């Protein structure tokens, strides 16, 4: 079917990008488990390699199953195109790679997934890139952090794990004025709860590992391009606006217009970095996305009930869910994610670090894992796991202090989730500090 705004989200999450298999009529998208694709003749091969014709060459670059997923996510996000890759972290590198070169920097929110803080504060330095971390509620600080060498502004829509909502409209005004793209990690919200492009984002990145797949089976990532940024307005983005030496002098923006970033991502990014999504992973994620809106509705409904219950529990010091009227981000969440504030939040236990450890060990329905956005409820003590590489100031800024536990609410019965939390909190309360 042809995609477009005339269809609603629930229809597009099932149909966008998919058509009956032209060879067999298969209704479900087949897993094209093939490394290479036969050229019709030598001219066809040459046209494909010159990017004069779109088609399949080799699965490091493009694969028909992955292509359906790319089109589906791009449609749900309201973007011009998308490139899938092997993980969420790969997607972040794929998003930055065409924009940065040695000596250039990004402005990043202090409230990010712990692994992203490490990737940006440590690993990208090996490429000669750097990140300046700023509190994104302080708009003046974001503005003044941007300098001549800044090439992107990066934040999460709903920041993992602290229940923080970024004012995407305000941040996009700042990045627009500075002439640099805004990149939004939309993993925790998904396009069902938040569509960052509608708030001014240039690029949207995803860890498809989480809610989009929704069943904890495969890792994957995606970079969606809004198609709205004018890469040629300055000389800051030569990979897109100037002849590309790694593609025999082709100028991506001039040749591909609003699909410049997407084509560069495939023709240079995947070709040379090789962080490719495999067709099996694309299949599992396509299966997951078919029920995305239904699952997100239940995640939100359960998170509302459970967080409100937790807020009243004697052993709980505070709950950081933006869907609670007590949250400082409650009003903002109605504007940025009108369908709900997600399924992820943290609780702080009065008993501190030791109580957190006992609590996590006592849960029965919840699994103690380094993952989120699964159909099943998950829990993690961030300070001793995902955020342990961070110093205590970084942990605090990310909402991952020692007395804090991160909870990813699943789609089980809310009564069962609450009963499990109750018994574990009561066991944790008996721990002496
Ligand atoms: C998990 C996660 C990532 C990293 O994704 P992987 O698929 O694990 O590489 C990035 N950002 C957020 C918000 C995440 O939750």
């Amino acid at each position: 079917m042809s995609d477009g705004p005339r269809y609603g989200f629930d229809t597009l999450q099932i149909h966008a990008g998919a058509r009956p298999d032209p060879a067999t009529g298969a209704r479900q998208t087949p897993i094209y488990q093939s490394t290479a694709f036969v050229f019709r003749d030598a001219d066809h091969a040459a046209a494909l390699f010159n990017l004069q014709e779109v088609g399949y060459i080799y699965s490091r670059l493009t694969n028909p199953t992955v292509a359906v997923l790319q089109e589906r996510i791009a449609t749900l996000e309201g973007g011009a195109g998308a490139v899938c890759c092997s993980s969420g972290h790969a997607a972040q590198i794929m998003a930055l790679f065409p924009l940065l070169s040695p000596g250039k920097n990004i402005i990043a929110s202090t409230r990010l997934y712990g692994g992203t803080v490490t990737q940006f504060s440590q690993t990208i330095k090996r490429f000669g890139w750097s990140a300046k971390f700023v509190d994104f509620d302080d708009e003046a600080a974001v503005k003044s952090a941007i300098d001549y060498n800044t090439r992107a502004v990066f934040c999460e829509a709903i920041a993992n794990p602290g229940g923080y909502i970024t004012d995407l409209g305000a941040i996009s005004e700042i990045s627009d004025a500075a002439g640099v793209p805004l990149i939004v990690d939309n993993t925790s919200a998904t396009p069902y709860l938040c569509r960052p492009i509608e708030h001014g984002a240039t690029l949207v990145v995803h860890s498809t590992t989480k809610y989009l797949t929704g069943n904890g089976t495969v890792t994957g990532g995606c970079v969606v391009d809004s198609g709205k940024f004018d890469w040629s307005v300055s000389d800051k983005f030569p990979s897109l606006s100037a002849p590309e030496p790694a593609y025999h002098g082709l100028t991506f923006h001039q040749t591909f217009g609003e699909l410049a970033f997407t084509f560069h991502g495939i023709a240079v990014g995947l070709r040379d970095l090789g962080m490719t999504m495999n067709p099996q992973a694309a299949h599992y994620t396509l299966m997951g996305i078919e029920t995305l809106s239904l699952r997100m509705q239940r995640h939100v409904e359960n998170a509302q009930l459970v967080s409100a219950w937790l807020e009243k529990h004697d052993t709980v010091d505070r709950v950081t869910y933006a869907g609670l009227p007590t949250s400082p981000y409650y009003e903002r969440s109605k504007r940025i994610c009108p369908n709900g504030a997600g399924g992820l939040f943290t609780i702080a236990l009065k008993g501190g670090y030791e109580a957190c450890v006992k609590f996590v060990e006592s849960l029965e329905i919840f699994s103690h894992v380094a993952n989120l956005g699964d159909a099943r409820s998950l829990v993690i003590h961030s300070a001793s796991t995902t955020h342990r590489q961070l110093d205590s100031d970084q942990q605090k800024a990310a909402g991952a202090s020692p007395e804090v536990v991160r909870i990813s609410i699943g789609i089980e019965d809310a009564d069962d989730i609450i009963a499990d939390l109750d018994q574990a909190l009561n066991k944790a309360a008996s721990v002496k500090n």
Side-chain angles (χ1 to χ4, degrees):
M1 91 181 223
S2 68
D3 317 320
R6 65 201 169 105
Y7 292 110
F9 193 96
D10 292 353
T11 305
L12 293 172
Q13 72 186 357
I14 295 170
H15 293 287
R19 40 197 75 78
D21 182 50
T24 62
R27 177 60 275 195
Q28 189 50 274
T29 300
I31 304 169
Y32 287 92
Q33 197 69 57
S34 182
T35 307
F37 300 86
V38 178
F39 305 122
R40 288 194 302 272
D41 52 35
D43 286 346
H44 178 224
L48 289 174
F49 274 97
N50 284 340
L51 299 180
Q52 287 156 339
E53 189 177 328
V54 178
Y56 300 102
I57 300 175
Y58 185 69
S59 282
R60 170 157 34 81
L61 306 170
T62 47
N63 173 279
T65 313
V66 178
V68 173
L69 178 62
Q70 287 170 164
E71 196 172 330
R72 186 159 310 167
I73 298 175
T75 304
L76 295 178
E77 286 287 4
V83 181
C84 283
C85 47
S86 52
S87 70
H89 270 3
Q92 291 168 190
I93 295 297
M94 288 281 293
L96 298 181
F97 174 65
L99 309 178
L100 276 79
S101 57
K104 307 302 184 229
N105 68 65
I106 61 170
I107 309 302
S109 171
T110 46
R111 299 180 183 89
L112 295 177
Y113 176 71
T116 306
V117 176
T118 307
Q119 188 187 52
F120 288 175
S121 63
Q122 308 296 332
T123 304
I124 64 170
K125 284 199 261 181
R126 308 279 187 97
F127 307 142
W129 311 344
S130 62
K132 294 192 233 177
F133 290 92
V134 181
D135 175 355
F136 271 40
D137 275 346
D138 185 347
E139 288 166 27
V142 177
K143 209 178 286 182
S144 65
I146 297 176
D147 65 27
Y148 179 73
N149 287 319
T150 300
R151 291 295 178 270
V153 173
F154 188 102
C155 61
E156 294 178 15
I158 300 179
N160 167 2
Y164 167 86
I165 313 278
T166 307
D167 191 347
L168 298 178
I171 299 297
S172 73
E173 277 179 29
I174 295 170
S175 59
D176 279 354
V180 296
L182 170 63
I183 308 174
V184 177
D185 181 340
N186 201 29
T187 300
S188 304
T190 81
Y192 181 68
L193 301 181
C194 174
R195 305 204 337 146
I197 291 170
E198 291 173 2
H199 299 278
T202 310
L203 303 171
V204 177
V205 295
H206 275 284
S207 166
T208 61
T209 314
K210 314 292 170 53
Y211 291 105
L212 292 184
T213 302
N215 46 43
T217 47
V218 286
T219 63
C222 187
V223 186
V224 182
D225 178 21
S226 64
K228 291 182 178 154
F229 195 87
D230 183 356
W231 304 110
S232 306
V233 77
S234 71
D235 59 2
K236 286 184 175 169
F237 305 102
S239 293
L240 298 160
S241 67
E244 167 64 60
Y247 226 96
H248 43 73
L250 184 92
T251 302
F252 278 85
H253 192 205
Q254 199 179 44
T255 309
F256 298 111
E258 65 167 19
L259 286 171
F261 198 93
T262 302
F263 271 87
H264 189 278
I266 293 167
V268 180
L270 290 182
R271 184 192 66 177
D272 296 342
L273 301 178
M275 304 165 164
T276 307
M277 177 181 277
N278 66 73
Q280 278 282 344
H283 168 74
Y284 287 118
T285 305
L286 281 165
M287 292 299 93
I289 290 178
E290 291 192 349
T291 58
L292 179 64
S293 63
L294 307 178
R295 288 185 287 108
M296 294 315 291
Q297 283 161 17
R298 177 63 81 86
H299 281 295
V300 167
E301 197 181 300
N302 280 355
Q304 284 290 151
L305 287 168
V306 173
S307 62
W309 176 84
L310 279 167
E311 210 174 26
K312 297 202 189 77
H313 203 278
D314 287 346
T315 63
V316 175
D317 183 46
R318 59 185 190 276
V319 181
T320 62
Y321 185 54
L324 289 173
T326 47
S327 162
Y329 297 105
Y330 181 70
E331 292 304 326
R332 189 182 285 177
S333 78
K334 300 271 170 248
R335 209 159 28 85
I336 305 292
C337 28
N339 286 337
L344 195 66
F345 56 83
T346 61
I347 60 173
L349 297 191
K350 288 177 184 163
Y353 188 97
E354 295 303 326
C356 289
V357 170
K358 180 72 179 169
F359 169 65
V360 166
E361 283 175 354
S362 304
L363 285 161
E364 287 166 10
I365 292 176
F366 282 78
S367 310
H368 183 202
V369 295
N371 193 15
L372 59 94
D374 196 320
R376 43 195 67 62
S377 291
L378 311 175
V379 66
I380 196 159
H381 186 216
S382 302
S384 61
T385 54
T386 50
H387 287 62
R388 75 175 299 133
Q389 306 303 333
L390 310 190
D391 64 36
S392 62
D393 285 346
Q394 287 175 316
Q395 283 182 350
K396 195 156 180 281
S401 300
E403 76 284 8
V404 168
V405 174
R406 183 184 80 193
I407 293 182
S408 174
I409 295 291
I411 58 176
E412 302 101 333
D413 287 289
D415 288 348
D416 293 337
I417 295 174
I418 287 173
D420 192 27
L421 290 168
D422 196 34
Q423 62 82 21
L425 284 170
N426 293 335
K427 283 186 189 138
S430 64
V431 173
K432 296 279 169 291
N433 273 313

